[in-house]
Amino acid sequence: MTGADRHLFDAPGPKAIRRMIIGSIIAGVLAVVALAYALVQLTDKGQLAAAKWLPFVTNLDLIKFLLLGLGNTIGAAIVSLGLALVLGIALGVGRLSEAKVVHTPCAAVVELVRGLPVLLNMLFLFLAFPLAFHIDLPAFWTVVLALTLYNGAVIAEIVRAGVLTLPKGQREAAMAMGLSWRQTMALVLLPQAIRIMLPSLISQLVVLIKDSALGFIVGYQELAAQAQSAALLLNNPLQTYMIVGVVYILLNSLLSEASNYIGERQKRTLSKVYASARVAAVDER
Amino acid sequence: MPDSVISMDKVNKWFGALHALRDINFRVSAGEVVVVAGPSGSGKSTMCRTINRLETIDSGTIRVNGETLPAEGRELAKLRSEVAMVFQQFNLFSHLSILDNVTLGPIKVLRQSGAEACKEALGFLDRVGIGDQAHKFPAQLSGGQQQRAAIARALAMRPKAILFDEPTSALDPEMVNEVLEVMTQLAKEGMTMLVVTHEMGFARRVAHRVIFMDAGQIVEEAPPEAFFTNPKTDRARDFLSKILM
Amino acid sequence: MNELMGVISTLLRAFVTTLELTFLSAILSLVVGILAAAMRVSPVPPLRWAVSVYVRLVRNTPLTIVFFITVFGLPQVGVNFSFFSFALLALTLYTATFVAETVRAGIQAIPIGQIEAARSIGLTFTQVLAYVVLPQAVRSVVPPLASTFIALFKNSSIASAFGVAEAISVMTNMVNVHSTIVLSIMGATAAIYVALALLFGRAFTWLERKALIAR
Ligand SMILES: Nc1ncnc2c1ncn2[C@@H]1O[C@H](COP(=O)(O)OP(=O)(O)O)[C@@H](O)[C@H]1O
Ligand SMILES: [Mg+2]
């Protein structure tokens, strides 16, 4: 009984149990009816025809084509994560700095970028970059830089939350040893904060993979773009997008599980104070 | 025995493989103060909570005022309103003021008018000594004040009995007495009370009877003097030697 | 300068569409999300399973793919809406999963003692819900819902790629027409987005303070 809220519901008496059983039966029957209706509709409209589905098993070129897209998706996501981590640490630490000249611009950049749609960043690089520098930015970099900027800002906040939730004693002990602010940050606070952040960073990879699907708008051949081309060619949009959707779901579920697993393990090994840092760093998309 | 406000007959409860309550039999008569003592994990809270059906039981009978505890619905709600409960963690409603905490039950359950409930609530808050805190929120009160507010909330339901589950265990030592004094006063006024507590001084002074539990069983049941000066079982003796040190 | 003023007024009109899309999907996802959350905590197992499957699937799918499936997939089975309605559907399906998870977490974060205390004074199930659970859940839910809706506001830009003439789509068109003031057009668009996002942030902070006032 994981989801049933012992919270909300009293332990059921005989009447409540009867109602639960009747409710379950009704819900089950409705689900079956809905599923049957969907199948009838799909068959009616010829959407279950073998010709629409079989290419995904038999057509090797198609499979390669989509796998290429998957590779590009993962590539862009991982490179962006790496760069966003660097940018995020820089901005996050900058925002924690006690010097106003450092702290204020970092805060401004973070707030500004977080208020912008990723797509706008991407279009900016796509449309404005060639005008300013008279060269086209490769599609890969258009996607990666846009994702880096946005996620760098998000990671900056994760870093800041991570450092701020470390026990105060850590910082005081380091300062008392005679370490400078910079040394304290680099040698004591950041390494700990990054360790706590690991699960959040993996969740952020899920966000990156999802956002990289905007690449089709700027001509980057990631999975969604490849799906679009394939769907046009095969004239089977429903099938193609569903199958590609499943691929994304599998990939992202795997990453979410990994993030949860590491988070749980940390919860056991690190103190409670540390674990709370993750609460402050949930992704919002 | 129509006289007993609370009665348990052959009550058993399991948590999975754990036999948490074993053949529990006991009665609390009107006006009686019964203290339940015993080591941690012996089933005191569980027993207390079954009376309000916050925990279900697997066999046996629980009666309140001679009426078998209903399994669900309005009947259960009504019976719960007649037996108030005071928790270790106070459990005041955090989004309501102290006054609203006390009036919620009278207005929504007893269907009193707002003005009437308010007037009575202020009376109860005065009785527990925090009339001046009525418009504050729980988080603004000390633990002792919160627990007294919780007692006022219980009293406002005009219950036939009040169950206390370690009402002073979560309090800083200096606040224990203010709560015990309120409870002592209630006992003097003839309130029927079932009190789980480690406060042996309170048990000695106020209780009519002490029930000693261990490993889900009632091991000993005696008037306080007899229990404290001459415990019959080794387990009770052992427990007392630890707690009275 | 005049050129830019003209562009900005066109842009502002496009932002009205963005806001329409945002507000309508926000309201719909709130309704769907709360219903889903209610099903998710209900004592009827098939309802719980259905919602957790829905949430798991959709949350792990890129919004872009949700758009592709609704805009290009649904017409294949005879469902034909306007682009705006399709966008509304896609955004709602996606955002509702976040609302559902937030509301469920808000309910489950209420300490059990609060609910036991409510039961033990004789409140019925509906009363416990109305006087204790919901008022407390609303408070813990406002801040995360704010992030969800601000994300929705930004996500609505994806509708530009699916036939809706909202801000980004209009911006792209104008960039093609007014090729000498590209940076200004994009800068203005960015400024309006950031200003609106900040405004929403403020509005939610105000709402949060209202919700928290009793503390
Ligand atoms: N909800 C529960 N699920 C499983 N075991 C429980 C639960 N509540 C209590 N227990 C177990 O039942 C036993 C009695 O607990 P409790 O009544 O709280 O003891 P006491 O109040 O005397 O300290 C303990 O072993 C405890 O771990
Ligand atoms: Mg206990």
Side-chain angles (χ1 to χ4, degrees):
Chain A
M1 291 264 286
T2 41
D5 237 304
R6 274 306 307 281
H7 247 80
L8 274 184
F9 298 94
D10 247 317
K15 266 190 227 155
I17 288 177
R18 208 174 317 131
R19 257 182 259 138
M20 268 154 57
I21 293 173
I22 294 173
S24 299
I25 293 171
I26 293 176
V29 169
L30 281 180
V32 170
V33 168
L35 212 67
Y37 178 76
L39 281 178
V40 168
Q41 281 297 308
L42 286 170
T43 319
D44 253 19
K45 303 281 197 272
Q47 294 300 317
L48 292 184
K52 297 219 179 237
W53 294 93
L54 270 185
F56 296 105
V57 207
T58 55
N59 187 339
L60 271 184
D61 288 334
L62 172 65
I63 296 172
K64 267 191 220 152
F65 184 73
L66 290 177
L67 282 180
L68 176 73
L70 180 62
N72 284 341
T73 290
I74 295 175
I78 289 180
V79 175
S80 309
L81 184 68
L83 293 177
L85 189 59
V86 174
L87 178 66
I89 290 177
L91 285 172
V93 171
R95 208 174 169 177
L96 286 167
S97 157
E98 278 147 4
K100 249 210 157 99
V101 276
V102 181
H103 156 106
T104 313
C106 286
V109 169
V110 168
E111 291 305 323
L112 185 80
V113 170
R114 278 175 11 121
L116 290 175
V118 181
L119 179 55
L120 184 56
N121 293 343
M122 219 176 264
L123 287 173
F124 191 81
L125 293 167
F126 186 59
L127 299 171
F129 194 88
L131 283 176
F133 300 102
H134 303 288
I135 40 160
D136 278 345
L137 193 62
F140 173 78
W141 288 108
T142 308
V143 172
V144 164
L145 291 181
L147 293 181
T148 298
L149 196 59
Y150 181 79
N151 289 279
V154 173
I155 291 175
E157 288 299 277
I158 301 179
V159 170
R160 197 166 69 110
V163 170
L164 288 179
T165 38
L166 288 178
K168 233 173 108 191
Q170 295 292 319
R171 181 204 175 93
E172 283 164 3
M175 297 291 229
M177 275 170 64
L179 297 182
S180 69
W181 186 88
R182 204 173 293 183
Q183 287 169 319
T184 304
M185 192 57 86
L187 300 175
V188 180
L189 301 182
L190 263 185
Q192 297 189 53
I194 289 174
R195 214 150 90 92
I196 312 171
M197 281 161 46
L198 193 61
S200 310
L201 287 178
I202 297 178
S203 323
Q204 206 56 33
L205 191 57
V206 172
V207 176
L208 277 163
I209 285 173
K210 291 202 286 175
D211 280 353
S212 71
L214 292 171
F216 87 97
I217 295 174
V218 295
Y220 179 56
Q221 295 183 325
E222 40 69 48
L223 187 53
Q226 302 294 79
Q228 194 187 20
S229 312
L232 276 175
L233 214 68
L234 298 170
N235 189 26
N236 64 348
L238 193 63
Q239 294 72 11
T240 306
Y241 294 130
M242 294 224 302
I243 283 177
V244 164
V246 168
V247 172
Y248 276 113
I249 289 167
L250 291 179
L251 179 62
N252 288 335
S253 305
L254 207 70
L255 288 169
S256 306
E257 289 302 320
S259 159
N260 286 344
Y261 174 75
I262 294 174
E264 284 303 313
R265 225 183 43 183
Q266 280 192 354
K267 217 178 264 171
R268 267 178 277 133
T269 51
L270 301 174
S271 76
K272 274 194 182 134
V273 194
Y274 283 21
S276 70
R278 235 179 352 266
V279 177
V282 284
D283 82 88
E284 54 183 31
R285 306 191 85 230
Chain B
M1 216 185 275
D3 215 0
S4 38
V5 179
I6 298 166
S7 72
M8 288 191 145
D9 285 297
K10 293 209 174 119
V11 169
N12 282 282
K13 158 118 196 139
W14 278 266
F15 285 115
L18 177 75
H19 201 167
L21 296 179
R22 300 170 186 248
D23 272 330
I24 301 287
N25 292 297
F26 81 93
R27 309 196 166 327
V28 183
S29 312
E32 210 183 4
V33 177
V34 176
V35 160
V36 182
S40 168
S42 57
K44 308 179 297 293
S45 296
T46 305
M47 182 178 86
C48 207
R49 290 160 54 83
T50 58
I51 299 167
N52 241 333
R53 206 181 177 274
L54 293 177
E55 301 287 356
T56 53
I57 56 174
D58 295 303
S59 69
T61 318
I62 299 174
R63 289 197 187 80
V64 174
N65 277 317
E67 220 184 299
T68 306
L69 192 61
E72 58 198 330
R74 294 193 166 278
E75 302 77 27
L76 175 62
K78 179 167 180 300
L79 226 80
R80 279 174 170 169
S81 74
E82 292 171 3
V83 180
M85 183 133 186
V86 174
F87 300 85
Q88 181 174 351
Q89 300 296 340
F90 333 135
N91 293 345
L92 291 173
F93 304 125
S94 59
H95 63 301
L96 297 178
S97 71
I98 297 301
L99 183 62
D100 290 341
N101 261 278
V102 180
T103 57
L104 184 68
I107 292 174
K108 301 299 175 191
V109 179
L110 306 179
R111 303 283 166 198
Q112 290 183 5
S113 74
E116 186 191 354
C118 195
K119 197 172 134 242
E120 289 199 2
L122 288 171
F124 287 120
L125 286 172
D126 273 335
R127 236 169 97 186
V128 300
I130 51 170
D132 51 338
Q133 312 285 327
H135 296 287
K136 289 193 182 162
F137 282 88
Q140 298 169 300
L141 267 57
S142 73
Q145 290 172 322
Q146 287 192 53
Q147 194 59 298
R148 285 185 281 154
I151 293 174
R153 175 174 71 180
L155 289 173
M157 296 305 294
R158 309 233 172 241
K160 304 214 165 83
I162 304 183
L163 313 171
F164 294 82
D165 187 4
E166 301 203 25
T168 57
S169 296
L171 296 176
D172 291 334
E174 72 271 20
M175 294 173 184
V176 169
N177 273 335
E178 62 192 57
V179 171
L180 291 180
E181 272 161 28
V182 169
M183 290 168 61
T184 306
Q185 189 57 34
L186 282 182
K188 272 192 198 139
E189 290 162 12
M191 176 59 75
T192 309
M193 294 161 60
L194 181 71
V195 185
V196 177
T197 186
H198 294 298
E199 295 293 335
M200 292 302 130
F202 173 84
R204 224 169 173 144
R205 272 180 287 115
V206 182
H208 301 113
R209 199 145 45 93
V210 176
I211 287 177
F212 174 72
M213 286 183 76
D214 191 24
Q217 272 176 313
I218 294 182
V219 180
E220 204 166 324
E221 198 175 337
E225 264 327 300
F227 177 72
F228 288 111
T229 52
N230 189 18
K232 289 194 283 286
T233 59
D234 287 346
R235 285 193 269 182
R237 214 168 295 132
D238 194 40
F239 172 77
L240 283 176
S241 71
K242 277 181 195 142
I243 205 159
L244 296 178
M245 281 291 276
Chain C
M1 204 60 217
N2 254 345
E3 194 183 358
L4 187 58
M5 290 324 275
V7 165
I8 287 180
S9 79
T10 316
L11 260 182
L12 284 174
R13 258 174 280 134
F15 265 102
V16 173
T17 308
T18 291
L19 290 178
E20 266 170 24
L21 197 53
T22 305
F23 281 127
L24 288 176
S25 357
I27 291 168
L28 288 176
S29 24
L30 203 58
V31 173
V32 176
I34 289 174
L35 275 177
M39 285 163 69
R40 185 69 178 74
V41 298
S42 85
V44 180
L47 295 182
R48 293 204 303 272
W49 299 330
V51 172
S52 72
V53 168
Y54 160 58
V55 169
R56 257 194 112 96
L57 292 187
V58 176
R59 274 188 91 143
N60 283 314
T61 311
L63 178 52
T64 310
I65 297 292
V66 179
F67 263 98
F68 273 128
I69 292 177
T70 43
V71 178
F72 300 115
L74 288 183
Q76 299 289 313
V77 288
V79 181
N80 284 296
F81 293 155
S82 67
F83 282 133
F84 186 85
S85 307
F86 271 142
L88 203 56
L89 181 61
L91 285 170
T92 300
L93 277 178
Y94 186 77
T95 311
T97 60
F98 291 82
V99 175
E101 280 301 279
T102 303
V103 172
R104 181 184 68 91
I107 289 173
Q108 284 175 342
I110 298 172
I112 185 120
Q114 296 283 309
I115 293 164
E116 290 184 343
R119 270 178 207 155
S120 74
I121 60 173
L123 295 177
T124 61
F125 172 70
T126 4
Q127 287 176 323
V128 174
L129 216 55
Y131 303 125
V132 177
V133 175
L134 292 181
Q136 294 198 20
V138 163
R139 289 209 237 155
S140 61
V141 148
V142 170
L145 274 188
S147 326
T148 301
F149 287 141
I150 288 175
L152 165 65
F153 167 59
K154 293 183 288 173
N155 282 339
S156 72
S157 61
I158 296 177
S160 65
F162 297 89
V164 179
E166 48 66 76
I168 294 291
S169 145
V170 168
M171 177 197 83
T172 316
N173 290 339
M174 305 241 267
V175 163
N176 291 329
V177 180
H178 304 269
S179 53
T180 52
I181 49 167
V182 169
L183 287 182
S184 313
I185 296 174
M186 300 192 97
T189 314
I192 301 175
Y193 260 112
V194 171
L196 286 173
L198 286 178
L199 190 71
F200 292 152
R202 283 283 151 78
F204 277 116
T205 312
W206 176 81
L207 199 67
E208 193 184 332
R209 211 167 292 143
K210 278 221 94 135
L212 285 174
I213 210 129
R215 209 173 254 170

